[in-house]
Each structure stands twice: as C-alpha cells, then as structure tokens.
Amino acid sequence: MSNFQFGAHALQASQVFFQTRLSFAFVNRKPVVPGHVLVSPRRVAPRFCDLTAEEVSDLFLTSQRVARVVEKEYNGTSLTVSVQDGPDAGQSVPHVHVHILPRKAGDFKRNDDIYTELEGHDKTPSTDVFRSIDDMAAESTRLEGLFIGDS
Ligand code: AMW
C-alpha cells in the first residue's frame, strides 16, 4: 500500500513534492493549468467538516506555502484556490483536497471559466489522457527543490 493514499488512489511517492505530519502536496495527473497541484490531509477524510482543527490548520498553512511556491515557479500573477466539498459540489475523489492553480491575465476567455474546466477535467473515463508517471515525477522533483529555505 502506498504511503500516500488519495481516496481510493495509491499515489506514487514520486508525485509528492512536500509533506508535513498531517498534510501532503502532490502533482496532478490532469492539470487544468500548468502548476495545478493538490494538497490533502494525510488521513483519508471525505469532507471538509470531517477534519480536526489541527488538520484544518495544517492543511491551510501547507496550502499557503505551496501556493506561494507554485505561483512564483509558474510565473503566475494570481491564484485560484478551490475546494470542491462533496459530490454535489463536483468532488470526484472523496478525500479532502485543496486545488491550487496559478493564474495569469487572459488565461481563460472569461475568468470564471476555470470553474467549468475544474468541474469537467477529471470526469473523462479514458486513462490515456493522464500524464505519465515520469512526467509527474519530473515536475514533482523540480517543485520539491523549491521548498528548501522558502519560508
Ligand atoms: W475533485 O473533482 O475531487 O475536486 O478533484 C480531483 C483531482 O484529483 C482532479 O484534479 C484530478 O485530476 C486529480 N487526481 C485524481 N486522481 C489522481 C491521481 N492518482 N494522481 C494525481 N491527481 C489525481
């Protein structure tokens, strides 16, 4: 069993670029924009309100640290930070996760189109649209190196 469980998915350790005792950050197999990454609690908890105060605190402090790094690395000028909490809000993996997406002017025709993309990007049944393990590992290694002395 993977040390990094994301809902029913056993992640490759090479996808994970940052971790704390309670949270971990990993690269997305189907990013909506370059640098679209995810942050989750280590414990497989489906809903935001399932988290303890300590987990919430760590998840958001970790998300803030990750957001700072990916915005800079991907030359963003803003960020979309999003949680789809529950199936009726578009959550497809029942394990709390924060989407972090670097943004820049004009990246979508209408700014909020990103939410339409987020809703649909992982709903395709075909697996051949996912990035390769090597591709994800390369991005993860690059990001991992940016956390040394970042805070
Ligand atoms: W949700 O629609 O539940 O808010 O978002 C799930 C996210 O998890 C999507 O961005 C999807 O691409 C991503 N994802 C699902 N499975 C994996 C995986 N095994 N590795 C990396 N990202 C994944």
Side-chain angles (χ1 to χ4, degrees):
M1 191 176 182
S2 164
N3 279 331
F4 298 102
Q5 199 65 29
F6 176 47
H9 304 267
L11 297 184
Q12 301 288 325
S14 58
Q15 285 178 253
V16 176
F17 58 87
F18 184 73
Q19 60 178 302
T20 65
R21 185 172 64 82
L22 295 175
S23 310
F24 64 105
F26 58 103
V27 298
N28 201 320
R29 68 182 182 179
K30 197 160 188 302
V32 164
V33 292
H36 174 191
V37 300
L38 299 161
V39 184
S40 273
R42 293 295 297 257
R43 186 169 68 88
V44 180
R47 298 289 307 274
F48 188 53
C49 287
D50 296 331
L51 302 182
T52 65
E54 204 188 357
E55 285 171 323
V56 171
S57 171
D58 193 79
L59 181 69
F60 276 86
L61 288 171
T62 302
S63 296
Q64 186 188 49
R65 195 165 168 194
V66 168
R68 199 176 281 131
V69 164
V70 295
E71 180 176 339
K72 187 169 174 215
E73 177 63 10
Y74 287 89
N75 301 314
T77 49
S78 296
L79 288 161
T80 292
V81 178
S82 166
V83 178
Q84 308 200 94
D85 184 36
D88 295 327
Q91 183 183 20
S92 59
V93 179
H95 181 168
V96 178
H97 49 283
V98 180
H99 292 260
I100 298 178
L101 304 105
R103 301 293 309 270
K104 39 184 88 158
D107 54 0
F108 287 85
K109 195 162 162 222
R110 288 180 315 147
N111 217 315
D112 285 354
D113 284 350
I114 195 162
Y115 294 108
T116 312
E117 284 292 317
L118 260 183
E119 196 187 345
H121 76 290
D122 57 340
K123 306 288 188 297
T124 158
S126 166
T127 54
D128 61 5
V129 294
F130 298 140
R131 293 201 295 163
S132 70
I133 288 171
D134 286 353
D135 190 27
M136 290 192 285
E139 182 186 28
S140 184
T141 301
R142 190 160 50 81
L143 290 176
E144 192 173 16
L146 303 174
F147 285 83
I148 299 154
D150 65 300
S151 60

